[in-house]
Amino acid sequence: MECPFCAETIKDEALVCKHCGRDLKVPKPLIEENQELIATIGELHQELDKLRAELARRKSPGAFWATHLAIYIVPPILLLLLAHLLLIVKFDVNPLIMRGVSMLIPLPFGFALAWVAHLGLRTAGGVGVLIGAFAVAGMTAIIGYTDNVPTLPQNAREWRETFEYAVSIALATVTGNILASMARNMLAQQVSTSVHPSAMAVRVALLISPYVGKQVLRRRAEKVEALISTVGAVAGVIGSAAGTIYTGVRAVIGM
């Protein structure tokens, strides 16, 4: 935390500032209460945004999905098809490069789904499936037309590779959505160092430091809770990104 008098960084448990020597016993409870209020306000704003999005969907489902189709589904499909035309058809680059581009294009749209539209993983997964299915179908149609070959996959291996390509695009969309949620949570933690600890976080804090006071125990439980939240989000990003990369490049490099 920062000292309210000199703005220098001090330990959360400090009762006297080591820099300016001011007593923190009186202002410290007020600072903690203010931090908790800021955290609560942030959480309420997030919930309000989600409720507004849900209300808009229920009130006018046609307009809601038409808007989101125009913003979050059609543009990435068109960008993927344009990239395919340029990289594969016109310049005939290594297909691995195209697979990498196909993973990058859906990311910002998945990010915007969470950050701007306040829609979660379930919606991001559905949007990703639509983007992947239509984009890959369009790519195979382009190849069928330009190379005068059958548009549909001709055997089980080709069907599997097509399916995995679409899945990699869908997972890239989900990865962007998770990144947005993680970034929002990290920003909220930066604004307020107060995190409501769960029972599990308290138990972990007790295992680490069983012989401390209630105040110190609570602060350590808050840090454990923040760490658990961050590790969970990072694990989700890593898992989703790993799935994206694996399904996207497996057929190209012969895994």
Side-chain angles (χ1 to χ4, degrees):
M1 62 174 286
E2 289 185 353
C3 173
F5 300 105
C6 65
E8 293 288 345
T9 302
I10 55 176
K11 291 184 178 180
D12 291 340
E13 296 82 6
L15 297 177
V16 176
C17 178
K18 67 177 181 179
H19 301 284
C20 66
R22 302 291 291 271
D23 189 349
L24 301 175
K25 295 188 188 70
V26 175
K28 194 171 182 180
L30 297 176
I31 294 172
E32 292 172 355
E33 184 178 354
N34 185 51
Q35 289 174 337
E36 291 181 359
L37 287 173
I38 292 173
T40 302
I41 290 171
E43 293 171 2
L44 289 174
H45 272 298
Q46 290 187 35
E47 290 299 320
L48 180 60
D49 289 335
K50 291 179 181 178
L51 288 173
R52 283 174 175 168
E54 180 64 19
L55 179 61
R57 185 182 69 82
R58 290 177 180 272
K59 187 176 180 180
S60 304
F64 179 86
W65 290 115
T67 301
H68 286 73
L69 178 72
I71 297 175
Y72 301 107
I73 298 177
V74 173
I77 292 173
L78 294 178
L79 287 173
L80 286 165
L81 294 178
L82 179 61
H84 183 79
L85 278 169
L86 292 175
L87 297 177
I88 300 299
V89 177
K90 184 173 183 179
F91 297 110
D92 194 24
V93 302
N94 190 323
L96 193 59
I97 296 176
M98 180 61 208
R99 293 299 177 101
V101 172
S102 298
M103 297 174 203
L104 292 176
I105 287 175
L107 271 173
F109 293 93
F111 191 96
L113 274 172
W115 194 271
V116 179
H118 308 288
L119 298 173
L121 284 176
R122 186 170 62 180
T123 303
V127 169
V129 168
L130 290 175
I131 294 172
F134 282 100
V136 173
M139 292 176 192
T140 56
I142 290 171
I143 292 297
Y145 176 77
T146 55
D147 294 352
N148 196 24
V149 296
T151 300
L152 293 176
Q154 297 301 296
N155 52 55
R157 179 180 177 182
E158 290 182 359
W159 274 109
R160 187 194 67 197
E161 291 175 355
T162 302
F163 174 76
E164 289 177 348
Y165 194 6
V167 168
S168 71
I169 293 172
L171 287 175
T173 309
V174 171
T175 301
N177 192 267
I178 297 174
L179 282 171
S181 299
M182 185 173 69
R184 192 183 294 277
N185 289 334
M186 291 178 67
L187 284 174
Q189 290 176 18
Q190 289 295 322
V191 171
S192 172
T193 57
S194 178
V195 179
H196 300 294
S198 63
M200 183 177 70
V202 174
R203 285 196 292 270
V204 172
L206 276 171
L207 288 173
I208 297 172
S209 306
Y211 306 110
V212 295
K214 291 183 179 180
Q215 190 75 3
V216 176
L217 178 64
R218 173 180 169 80
R219 290 192 174 279
R220 291 183 179 176
E222 289 173 354
K223 292 179 180 179
V224 170
E225 182 70 21
L227 179 62
I228 291 172
S229 176
T230 301
V231 169
V234 170
V237 171
I238 293 174
S240 180
T244 303
I245 295 170
Y246 178 76
T247 55
V249 306
R250 192 172 83 91
V252 178
I253 63 178
M255 292 177 62

